[in-house]
Amino acid sequence: MAQDAYTLEQYVTDIRAIVREETDEDRVTSRIAPLAKRLAAAPGWLKPGHRKCDEKQGFGVHLLHEEPNHDLAVFLIAWLPNRGTMPHNHKTWAVVAGIEGLEQEVEWHRRDDGARTGYADLERVGESVMTAGDVTTCRSDDI
């Protein structure tokens, strides 16, 4: 008998349980990563509208779930080919799972102390290409 597909609702329930039990970002993300991979591989929840992108920005952000107090959100982000964003941090932990296509992930290290508004001295320290089934995690201070 086939196992039932993992749903967005189950994923959110599981994340809620994890963040109640853990406070360390690395422990939170390491526990969520296999669940994100499981959701990404589950059939049926990805809709054609989730692939919609803003041509000017080069991507589309689709909110799948957000807690009423905004302390947990689940997004699906779709990218147009060969488009991306400037280096940035999310100021929160994150778990990213590839669903289809390719996504280039570039890691940066900040060399300055952040004292100068609107300026950052960055050094490129890593790069990888994510495909369907790949999962990566980010700490709140990762760039």
Side-chain angles (χ1 to χ4, degrees):
M1 183 170 169
Q3 183 180 16
D4 290 336
Y6 191 55
T7 67
L8 177 62
E9 292 77 20
Q10 290 169 313
Y11 181 61
V12 170
T13 298
D14 291 343
I15 292 173
R16 287 176 182 145
I18 291 167
V19 298
R20 276 194 307 269
E21 296 168 8
E22 305 284 358
T23 56
D24 179 78
E25 290 183 350
D26 291 329
R27 291 177 58 99
V28 168
T29 58
S30 69
R31 289 184 60 190
I32 294 173
L35 303 176
K37 183 173 184 156
R38 184 175 172 198
L39 180 65
W45 67 271
L46 184 66
K47 308 288 187 248
H50 290 144
R51 293 177 182 88
K52 184 177 179 182
C53 295
D54 178 286
E55 184 67 38
K56 186 175 179 180
Q57 289 183 317
F59 60 91
V61 178
H62 308 277
L63 180 64
L64 302 179
H65 173 83
E66 185 173 19
E67 297 287 274
N69 67 358
H70 312 292
D71 70 352
L72 170 64
V74 178
F75 294 94
L76 183 141
I77 301 175
W79 296 95
L80 291 174
N82 301 312
R83 302 292 291 274
T85 63
M86 298 297 292
H88 62 280
N89 68 8
H90 296 251
K91 299 183 181 180
T92 185
W93 58 262
V95 176
V96 180
I99 298 174
E100 60 186 30
L102 304 173
E103 178 182 336
Q104 180 183 11
E105 291 275 329
V106 178
E107 297 174 52
W108 302 88
H109 169 74
R110 186 170 192 159
R111 296 188 290 204
D112 66 294
D113 64 4
R116 188 170 147 199
T117 302
Y119 173 81
D121 181 13
L122 300 177
E123 174 186 11
R124 189 182 196 136
V125 294
E127 181 177 333
S128 62
V129 175
M130 291 184 59
T131 62
D134 292 339
V135 178
T136 189
T137 62
C138 303
R139 297 179 50 83
S140 59
D141 58 351
D142 287 347
I143 302 172

